[in-house]
Amino acid sequence: MFNTELSRFDQLYLQANDWPVNEFHHWDTVNFSVLDPQTQLSLLKNFSPNSVAVSIWRKLRLLLLGEQSVDEKKLLDHFSSLPFLQQNMLYSQLMRANFVGQSGAFDYAPLYQLMMKNFCQQSAEFCQVSPLIGNGNEEIVLLLTNQFVTAQHGPTLTILNYASALKAMGKHPVVICCTSVAKSSHYVYPMPAPVFFGTVRNEYFKGDTLFDLDTGKQQANAGGSVVKCWDQYFDFMQITPMDDAEHLVDLVNVINQINPRFIIGVGGLNPVLEFIAQSRPVLNVPCVTSLVTPLYAVPVLHRELTEKDQLRVEALSLSHPVLTSRLPFRLRKFDCVKSSKVTDKVLKFVIVGYRLEHEMRSDFINTLLMIKKQLPQSAFVIIGPDAIEGFPPELEACSYFSGRVSNAIDLIASCHFMLNPKRQGGGTSAIEALSLGIPVLTEAYGDVYQYIGDDFVFSSDQERLDFIQRYLTDAEFEADYVQTCLEAAAKATDSFSIVQSLLLDYDSYIYQLQH
């Protein structure tokens, strides 16, 4: 039945017009996605499509299932035949999947490079970025991001944290969201599911508006669009150059007129940033600790380069050297204090993340089961999801699923320890826990490890259990670790020092490029 349906869709996608986008998306969601992974894998391996659209759907599905035998050359050939908007959507889906641990073995660099060259060539037909003239305008700093959402969104807070630090240095930061995933024009060249659509909030297109992220409210503002966060105000602009070429032209005109010395992209790799970086120095600051490999921008790595990183950089022949820094954190104001005590009858472990349904794998579930077995008074506070499919009944009985909350730190404060699955994200919640003096137990992997260091790394369940038991029974050890937590949080939130050091390195590199 499935092969028959797939063949029917394949034939429909061979037509030049009237693609069955909605029907195929519905079929994929209702019939295919609900199958267990092994059944999906078997069906995909026994189906050979002829249309480019369904071929890409099949390869994307295989990658999301962790299949490592996908023909990279064929995928690259199919990818190169797509319009830029489809390329960008497909690439965004793969990167999102990779972030939650899927399709990790696939090398995305050839896709990214092809996509960026395509966008830059296409954009050069209607606008040109002027090179940096002299020292440039050192007061106004343009901060570009490809997604700007709410105060619960880590990358949104990150770009505002950079803006805050730059303001403290006497600069005038201007935050520009140049949404890199199309808001609406992807319907011109629709892709089959699954595909990732980036979040673009309609309210940010309002002119002369104050967007208060502290309260979640908006009000008229005669002086233009402004974002308020941490009681600070930042000039703000929302554009969608993927939908409207005039938005890119407007941005390029602003750059050419202002001639800013510093243009900094914060967040994921961004086509608009790369187009600008072809003509003048642009810094690419990620919100993760993994190595990003921009085609034209100057890359930043939030840790020291490893030998493996160096080999990767050499293999890709990047245009610029990699600058190293640390990702600064800025926590929202909170009134809560740590309320848990080692003498409490219930021992609470908190786990935080909006993608935990993908990140809590069997090994982490086994860790929770081991903790519950050895420490029967254990309970688990799981912030983010409303439920986890297949969660063991013995854990379900002692777990609280909060769903998405506006201020996770209030729940974290009542817990004794934070547990971090093996994953990429989770940095903000870990720093929040440490700022309260609550230990974070993680592995030597991902962003959390890079942010908080070896003092909180455990390589086995037995190591975790030994630490927990000593912490609960040795008052001096507990006090020392609370202090270690507070010091780690203070270091991670020293945004001014971190951003100032990076800006000095960036400025020095711009000088080298000019001379």
Side-chain angles (χ1 to χ4, degrees):
M1 180 187 77
F2 285 99
N3 272 358
T4 301
E5 278 295 276
L6 282 172
S7 296
R8 183 174 73 85
F9 284 120
D10 189 37
Q11 287 300 312
L12 290 171
Y13 268 108
L14 284 171
Q15 299 176 130
N17 302 303
D18 197 26
W19 280 5
V21 178
N22 292 329
E23 185 187 357
F24 187 49
H25 186 280
H26 178 77
W27 178 85
D28 181 30
T29 303
V30 174
N31 296 286
F32 190 84
S33 298
V34 298
L35 300 173
D36 67 86
Q38 285 304 316
T39 303
Q40 289 186 30
L41 201 58
S42 177
L43 287 167
L44 292 168
K45 287 186 173 181
N46 289 310
F47 176 65
S48 300
N50 295 307
S51 68
V52 169
V54 180
S55 293
I56 289 177
W57 170 84
R58 176 180 177 274
K59 291 181 186 300
L60 183 56
R61 276 291 181 201
L62 286 169
L63 286 170
L64 297 181
L65 288 166
E67 178 62 34
Q68 298 185 17
S69 60
V70 172
D71 189 325
E72 294 187 24
K73 185 180 183 305
K74 279 189 178 180
L75 181 57
L76 185 62
D77 288 344
H78 285 322
F79 189 82
S80 64
S81 71
L82 298 174
F84 168 75
L85 287 174
Q86 286 185 327
Q87 290 179 345
N88 200 16
M89 283 191 290
L90 177 59
Y91 182 83
S92 298
Q93 172 66 30
L94 288 171
M95 291 305 295
R96 181 173 181 270
N98 185 52
F99 189 77
V100 297
Q102 297 173 308
S103 65
F106 189 78
D107 183 6
Y108 305 110
L111 302 182
Y112 179 78
Q113 292 176 355
L114 193 153
M115 179 176 68
M116 288 303 112
K117 289 176 181 177
N118 186 357
F119 179 76
C120 290
Q121 183 178 5
Q122 171 183 305
S123 301
E125 295 177 5
F126 50 83
C127 61
Q128 294 291 331
V129 179
S130 299
L132 177 64
I133 302 170
N135 289 333
N137 185 329
E138 298 188 38
E139 178 188 358
I140 297 178
V141 179
L142 299 188
L143 289 166
L144 275 60
T145 183
N146 58 19
Q147 194 174 16
F148 194 91
V149 193
T150 67
Q152 281 73 53
H153 183 242
T156 298
L157 292 179
T158 298
I159 192 167
L160 293 177
N161 192 20
Y162 275 93
S164 178
L166 288 164
K167 185 169 279 194
M169 294 164 57
K171 306 292 183 184
H172 183 145
V174 179
V175 177
I176 302 173
C177 179
C178 49
T179 310
S180 68
V181 176
K183 179 177 183 289
S184 58
S185 61
H186 52 259
Y187 293 116
V188 177
Y189 298 108
M191 283 287 288
V195 71
F196 170 64
F197 298 98
T199 303
V200 185
R201 299 180 69 92
N202 289 328
E203 62 264 32
Y204 288 132
F205 290 90
K206 295 179 182 177
D208 296 331
T209 302
L210 167 63
F211 304 100
D212 190 337
L213 298 193
D214 294 327
T215 64
K217 298 178 180 179
Q218 306 165 29
Q219 65 185 62
N221 184 66
S225 293
V226 175
V227 168
K228 177 174 175 280
C229 190
W230 309 301
D231 291 324
Q232 289 184 293
Y233 297 84
F234 308 98
D235 287 337
F236 175 76
M237 181 190 302
Q238 167 74 65
I239 59 176
T240 52
M242 300 302 110
D243 290 290
D244 191 340
E246 288 185 10
H247 285 209
L248 182 60
V249 173
D250 290 342
L251 176 60
V252 168
N253 287 338
V254 167
I255 292 170
N256 292 346
Q257 290 167 14
I258 295 176
N259 188 33
R261 182 170 182 82
F262 305 117
I263 300 176
I264 303 173
V266 180
L269 296 170
N270 187 327
V272 172
L273 200 72
E274 292 279 51
F275 176 63
I276 299 166
Q278 273 194 306
S279 304
R280 58 191 300 139
V282 169
L283 199 63
N284 193 130
V285 182
C287 293
V288 295
T289 59
S290 53
L291 176 67
V292 297
T293 52
L295 191 59
Y296 303 114
V298 180
V300 172
L301 180 63
H302 286 131
R303 53 179 173 78
E304 294 301 315
L305 272 86
T306 64
E307 185 177 346
K308 183 179 179 181
D309 294 327
Q310 195 60 53
L311 291 173
R312 176 70 169 162
V313 169
E314 292 171 2
L316 291 173
S317 301
L318 298 184
S319 304
H320 303 282
V322 179
L323 303 185
T324 56
S325 181
R326 288 185 292 126
L327 185 65
F329 287 88
R330 173 74 173 268
L331 303 183
R332 286 164 287 163
K333 289 181 179 179
F334 58 89
D335 299 321
C336 62
V337 295
K338 178 185 175 184
S339 58
S340 61
K341 300 180 179 62
V342 295
T343 54
D344 292 339
K345 291 183 179 179
V346 178
L347 185 63
K348 293 183 181 178
F349 295 85
V350 65
I351 309 146
V352 186
Y354 286 168
R355 292 174 292 269
L356 289 176
E357 61 272 21
H358 301 295
E359 296 166 334
M360 290 177 65
R361 299 180 182 85
S362 59
D363 57 342
F364 187 73
I365 298 296
N366 288 336
T367 294
L368 302 186
L369 289 168
M370 182 277 299
I371 290 173
K372 183 62 179 176
K373 180 179 179 181
Q374 297 297 322
L375 299 164
Q377 74 273 35
S378 298
F380 303 98
V381 178
I382 301 172
I383 302 174
D386 296 307
I388 298 288
E389 187 177 349
F391 205 58
E394 57 267 50
L395 294 177
E396 190 93 42
C398 61
S399 297
Y400 167 66
F401 288 87
S402 73
R404 297 200 171 199
V405 295
S406 60
N407 212 4
I409 197 167
D410 292 334
L411 289 173
I412 294 171
S414 67
C415 298
H416 300 79
F417 303 95
M418 174 176 281
L419 297 174
N420 184 53
K422 186 176 182 180
R423 59 175 178 162
Q424 288 289 355
T428 300
S429 56
I431 303 302
E432 287 181 331
L434 295 179
S435 71
L436 295 169
I438 296 172
V440 178
L441 283 64
T442 188
E443 295 187 42
Y445 177 88
D447 296 339
V448 170
Y449 165 59
Q450 297 293 343
Y451 301 149
I452 68 179
D454 292 326
D455 289 328
F456 304 93
V457 167
F458 301 87
S459 58
S460 69
D461 288 343
Q462 191 58 50
E463 278 188 13
R464 291 183 190 88
L465 191 62
D466 290 345
F467 170 81
I468 293 166
Q469 290 177 326
R470 185 178 178 188
Y471 183 91
L472 295 174
T473 57
D474 185 334
E476 185 177 348
F477 182 77
E478 178 204 358
D480 287 345
Y481 242 87
V482 168
Q483 188 59 37
T484 300
C485 292
L486 296 176
E487 290 173 358
K491 181 180 179 181
T493 54
D494 186 3
S495 300
F496 181 87
S497 296
I498 293 170
V499 176
Q500 183 182 52
S501 178
L502 177 60
L503 196 68
L504 288 171
D505 288 343
Y506 180 31
D507 185 58
S508 176
Y509 184 61
I510 293 175
Y511 181 83
Q512 291 177 40
L513 291 175
Q514 289 185 309
H515 297 83

